Amino acid sequence: DYELRPATFEDYPYCYRLTKRNMYELFCRHWGGWVPAEFRRGFVIRNISIVIIAGKRAGYLNVIKEPQPVYVANFQLSPAWQNRGIGTKLLNRLLATHSRDSIQLTTFEDNPAKRLYERIGFVVVEKNGMTVRMEKRPNKVSGSD
C-alpha cells in the first residue's frame, strides 16, 4: 500500500528526474524537447503530494484545487511501481475526495497513462493536436442535498 505526504523543496530534484524519465520521449515527440523552466514553473510546493511506498518515494501528484475545476497538473509514478494498481488507487482516492467537483487533466493522446484515465471515467473534452484535455465530472447524487 502507499501513503501521501506533503512535498518539500528537497523533493524537487526527485520529481524533476522522475518526470523527465517518464515524459522525455513524449515531450520531444510532441513539443520539440524538454524545457526545464516549464517544469520549475509548474512545481508549486503547496499542490504536491509525494507517494511513499515501503518508506521510499514512489511518485508524486500535483493537484491544483483552486480555482475550480480541480486540475491534475502532474501525476508520476516510478517505473518500478507502474502497472501495479497504485495509479488507479491514487486517482480513485482523488475522485472520492473531490466527488462533487469536476476534475481535469491534460495528457498526450499516445501516453500509456491515458488508458488508466479512461478506465476510471475521464473523457476527452478538448483536443489540440496530440494533446488532450480530459475531465471526470462529479458523481450524480440522487435525492436532495
Side-chain angles (χ1 to χ4, degrees):
D1 218 15
Y2 70 89
E3 58 188 78
L4 294 175
R5 70 156 169 80
T8 67
F9 289 108
E10 288 74 32
D11 292 310
Y12 180 87
Y14 167 80
C15 294
Y16 179 92
R17 284 190 310 271
L18 178 60
T19 304
K20 190 172 181 181
R21 179 186 318 137
N22 287 351
M23 302 300 295
Y24 184 80
E25 182 183 318
L26 288 165
F27 279 34
C28 288
R29 184 180 318 144
H30 301 302
W31 291 350
W34 175 260
V35 182
E38 284 297 314
F39 183 83
R40 182 168 295 282
R41 187 177 2 268
F43 194 83
V44 178
I45 201 89
R46 71 178 174 273
N47 298 333
I48 299 171
S49 298
I50 302 297
V51 180
I52 304 292
I53 300 174
K56 296 187 178 183
R57 292 179 294 202
Y60 73 96
L61 197 56
N62 183 344
V63 180
I64 301 167
K65 297 174 183 152
E66 296 292 331
Q68 294 292 324
V70 173
Y71 185 74
V72 180
N74 211 328
F75 175 40
Q76 300 294 327
L77 278 178
S78 170
W81 293 105
Q82 293 174 10
N83 300 309
R84 295 171 149 208
I86 294 161
T88 300
K89 286 180 185 176
L90 283 162
L91 289 174
N92 280 333
R93 178 176 173 176
L94 180 70
L95 294 175
T97 300
H98 298 282
S99 63
R100 295 176 179 262
D101 303 316
S102 286
I103 301 175
Q104 293 186 348
L105 58 84
T106 303
T107 192
F108 294 112
E109 185 73 53
D110 57 344
N111 183 346
K114 183 175 178 267
R115 291 189 304 274
L116 164 63
Y117 306 143
E118 290 170 331
R119 196 169 59 245
I120 63 172
F122 282 84
V123 295
V124 174
V125 293
E126 184 181 330
K127 187 170 179 171
N128 182 4
M130 288 297 287
T131 303
V132 293
R133 181 174 292 259
M134 301 182 78
E135 182 174 35
K136 173 77 168 79
R137 295 214 163 93
N139 297 329
K140 298 286 184 228
V141 177
S142 58
S144 61
D145 345 285

